[in-house]
Amino acid sequence: MSTQHIVIVGSGFGGLGMGIRLKQAGIHDFTILEQGPEVGGTWRDNHYPGAACDVESHLYSYSFEPNPRWSRRFAPQQEILSYLIHCADKYQVRPHIRFGCAATSARFDDQSGTWEVNTSDGKMIHCRTLVAACGGLSKPAIPDLPGLDSFGGKVFHSARWDHSYSLSGKRVAVIGTGASAIQIVPAIASQVAKLSVFQRSPPWIIPKPDRRIKPDRQQRYADHPLLQRLTRTLFYLIHELAGVGFVVEPKLFQLLSRLVKKYIARSIPDESLRAQLTPNYALGCKRILLSNDYYPALCQPQVELVTAPIETVTRSGIRTADGEDRALDAIILATGFAAADVVSPFPILGRNGVDLSDVWKDGAEAYLGTVISGFPNAFLIVGPNTGLGHSSMVFMIESQIAYILSAIQAMQLGKLSAVEVKSDVQTRYNATIQERLKHTVWSSGCTSWYHAKNGRNTTLWPGFTFEFRLRTRRFSARDYVIEKLAH
Ligand code: NAP
């Protein structure tokens, strides 16, 4: 293994895209560590019934690998996973991947300017560069519900769906009403005997303009790649326009929320159910969800919405604060992911053995969501404040990949042993980010996974995606402390 070796952790959109871009740039000296049995990241793990993308697939895909064969405007999970598998095969990344092998820790060696990465198979890899592409939403958040361990029935998280367990004829609870739950509920409602949906706060839901893409249109995309590129660009521009409501003028969303309330009124004839489903916080503050079948599912006779807080889980079901007991066979935790209170994806020890978890104990921060002072030659994909409320994460991921690639090329060309972002550059950057976030809709007063426990928004990018693209276009040496290789 050479001293310029690169280790990438994760093979979802981030890690796989990084590997492909390295190969295209003629850099083949890298290893991808993947704890699972296949590529795909979140699209491999989230295979719950109804799982699909809520960003148009022509936009939610790599710019360098358009897929003319998307079957729907919003492709289902299986198709997105197949697309990523296709990318791994087409670009011959597989020989670089160690499947079933997790990074368990990484330590920077100040003397040699290299990383030592320990893996779950008991080995250690030395590398110059570490790229952590572990995903922002990969750690299921298991709610701290009293008695959950004592439940006698089946329990699983939405991201760990157990397909061997049949829900048919069962009394089932879904806890949570976020992006995952609103896809699960309509998909399972007709199988179960009874479905109780436990809602803590109602999401804002708008209609999903989903449709089948007919084979003749798919063929037209295949025959005319420019047409597909135009479609992608059109979706991109529409999403950026929505960004105005999130980051420039949240008042615009007040108008939209009036329209959405009319949609709720049309969808939910029952007045008290409608009141329970109408959010009391600004539209956009939590993720805006897209669905055509969630409200109809809630109107089915075997489905109930439970808004009384959960008091305890018992051996046989759930007791709510109003004293009611519901007997259940299964509890599905659609309770999201540990995103904002990020500890590092695995123990990462930087200069002088400093632990990233300690550095981040009051909230994660990085420069451009990608590099961290004190952690030379280490890069993050989907790091702090790179998340979006309004567009495709794949666009952000590709921006970060381009930046990391240009840093690696600069290191190889300049024979550099270490590049480390200057701490004042990182501090100034984050002060600006936090200041800008104060004026966005996400700071309008709601609780969400966007915020860390101390209230700081450590997850979202407070601007348009093209700004992020411009800022990450190229590695800029003046932002870094640089060390040269000894000859
Ligand atoms: P989520 O949006 O964080 O929703 C979690 C839900 O669980 C919320 O309704 C939350 O209520 C509730 N909850 C959490 N802890 C609870 C507790 N102790 N008791 C009762 N309720 C509790 O999680 P998610 O639905 O898995 O989605 C996470 C993110 O994944 C999304 O925002 C999106 O970025 C991504 N996602 C994308 C898609 C897609 O189509 N592309 C699909 C699924 C997920 P509160 O709202 O009151 O906190």
Side-chain angles (χ1 to χ4, degrees):
M1 213 158 275
S2 81
T3 52
Q4 292 308 325
H5 194 66
I6 299 158
V7 168
I8 301 166
V9 185
S11 69
F13 263 106
L16 185 58
M18 187 78 243
I20 294 171
R21 282 307 204 195
L22 284 171
K23 287 198 82 146
Q24 287 177 330
I27 301 170
H28 302 277
D29 190 7
F30 67 93
T31 302
I32 300 181
L33 301 176
E34 171 51 65
Q35 60 183 355
E38 183 49 281
V39 301
T42 194
W43 293 104
R44 180 200 60 218
D45 292 343
N46 284 273
H47 41 70
Y48 56 76
C53 195
D54 60 6
V55 175
E56 293 84 354
S57 294
H58 282 301
L59 181 58
Y60 193 87
S61 41
Y62 294 126
S63 59
F64 54 82
E65 186 59 22
N67 171 20
R69 298 288 170 195
W70 292 120
S71 69
R72 303 194 68 82
R73 185 183 278 191
F74 299 89
Q77 169 264 339
Q78 189 56 51
E79 227 175 283
I80 302 171
L81 179 58
S82 301
Y83 167 79
L84 289 169
I85 290 172
H86 155 82
C87 292
D89 293 332
K90 174 172 172 179
Y91 293 96
Q92 296 173 10
V93 182
R94 274 186 198 282
H96 295 266
I97 307 179
R98 283 203 205 163
F99 288 107
C101 183
T104 51
S105 66
R107 195 183 74 84
F108 184 71
D109 176 24
D110 297 70
Q111 291 301 314
S112 62
T114 55
W115 285 90
E116 294 166 3
V117 182
N118 290 300
T119 57
S120 54
D121 56 5
K123 300 198 173 116
M124 187 208 274
I125 311 176
H126 282 274
C127 59
R128 175 75 55 199
T129 307
L130 176 66
V131 181
C134 309
L137 301 172
S138 54
K139 284 195 186 133
I142 305 300
D144 190 13
L145 295 172
L148 186 58
D149 288 344
S150 67
F151 180 61
K154 182 82 181 170
V155 185
F156 52 84
H157 189 273
S158 56
R160 300 285 180 270
W161 197 275
D162 184 350
H163 292 274
S164 69
Y165 180 82
S166 167
L167 294 174
S168 180
K170 302 274 172 49
R171 297 159 303 176
V172 178
V174 170
I175 300 181
T177 53
S180 303
I182 67 144
Q183 295 183 333
I184 292 168
V185 167
I188 65 170
S190 57
Q191 301 166 30
V192 300
K194 181 150 178 66
L195 181 57
S196 305
V197 181
F198 288 81
Q199 170 186 282
R200 195 162 62 176
S201 39
W204 282 101
I205 301 178
I206 60 173
K208 188 173 189 179
D210 194 14
R211 59 177 64 112
R212 198 166 76 85
I213 303 177
K214 292 191 188 133
D216 59 335
R217 176 160 275 260
Q218 294 176 23
Q219 192 55 47
R220 238 177 298 152
Y221 285 139
D223 294 341
H224 307 286
L226 192 62
L227 180 68
Q228 186 173 3
R229 196 147 287 278
L230 278 174
T231 306
R232 180 183 170 97
T233 307
L234 187 69
F235 285 134
Y236 175 77
L237 293 174
I238 292 170
H239 281 277
E240 284 305 271
L241 207 59
V244 177
F246 285 96
V247 297
V248 181
E249 189 40 271
K251 282 199 192 107
L252 285 176
F253 278 161
Q254 287 174 8
L255 192 69
L256 181 61
S257 62
R258 266 181 251 147
L259 293 175
V260 181
K261 279 186 184 162
K262 284 191 183 147
Y263 167 64
I264 301 176
R266 274 201 313 278
S267 309
I268 310 285
D270 182 283
E271 211 171 302
S272 84
L273 181 60
R274 195 189 312 149
Q276 289 172 321
L277 287 169
T278 305
N280 62 359
Y281 55 87
L283 183 142
C285 189
K286 291 177 195 253
R287 189 174 171 90
I288 299 175
L289 309 183
L290 276 66
S291 176
N292 302 326
D293 48 12
Y294 179 65
Y295 288 147
L298 288 180
C299 295
Q300 292 179 28
Q302 78 284 17
V303 182
E304 64 164 346
L305 184 75
V306 183
T307 54
I310 296 171
E311 189 179 277
T312 184
V313 180
T314 62
R315 233 195 101 61
S316 57
I318 290 181
R319 183 175 307 142
T320 39
D322 55 6
E324 201 168 322
D325 275 303
R326 278 176 183 77
L328 296 165
D329 300 304
I331 298 176
I332 296 163
L333 305 171
T335 42
F337 301 87
D341 285 310
V342 220
V343 281
S344 61
F346 47 89
I348 300 180
L349 308 179
R351 264 201 207 290
N352 307 315
V354 171
D355 190 332
L356 184 56
S357 298
D358 291 333
V359 176
W360 277 1
K361 66 181 184 316
D362 294 325
E365 70 162 52
Y367 176 57
L368 298 172
T370 311
V371 285
I372 311 153
S373 172
F375 297 81
N377 311 349
F379 300 89
L380 305 167
I381 299 183
V382 192
N385 295 104
T386 56
L388 296 176
H390 72 283
S391 190
S392 167
M393 274 312 290
V394 182
F395 187 90
M396 298 297 273
I397 286 170
E398 282 199 56
S399 305
Q400 291 190 282
I401 289 173
Y403 184 79
I404 297 167
L405 178 60
S406 99
I408 290 171
Q409 286 171 324
M411 287 171 73
Q412 296 195 348
L413 257 170
K415 299 202 171 16
L416 309 180
S417 66
V419 295
E420 178 186 350
V421 68
K422 292 175 181 164
S423 71
D424 61 318
V425 169
Q426 181 179 320
T427 303
R428 267 200 311 277
Y429 172 83
N430 279 284
T432 312
I433 292 280
Q434 291 301 324
E435 181 55 34
R436 286 173 64 179
L437 279 163
K438 284 185 195 156
H439 308 287
T440 64
V441 69
W442 305 301
S443 302
S444 60
C446 67
T447 54
S448 74
W449 60 262
Y450 296 155
H451 297 91
K453 282 200 187 85
N454 65 6
R456 257 164 66 108
N457 184 329
T458 56
T459 54
L460 292 170
W461 168 247
F464 293 102
T465 61
F466 57 78
E467 182 196 339
F468 190 76
R469 173 65 52 103
L470 287 172
R471 295 185 74 159
T472 49
R473 203 176 31 172
R474 194 169 314 118
F475 169 80
S476 166
R478 66 166 188 269
D479 294 334
Y480 287 79
V481 177
I482 284 179
E483 288 167 27
K484 287 216 164 223
L485 282 171
H487 290 289

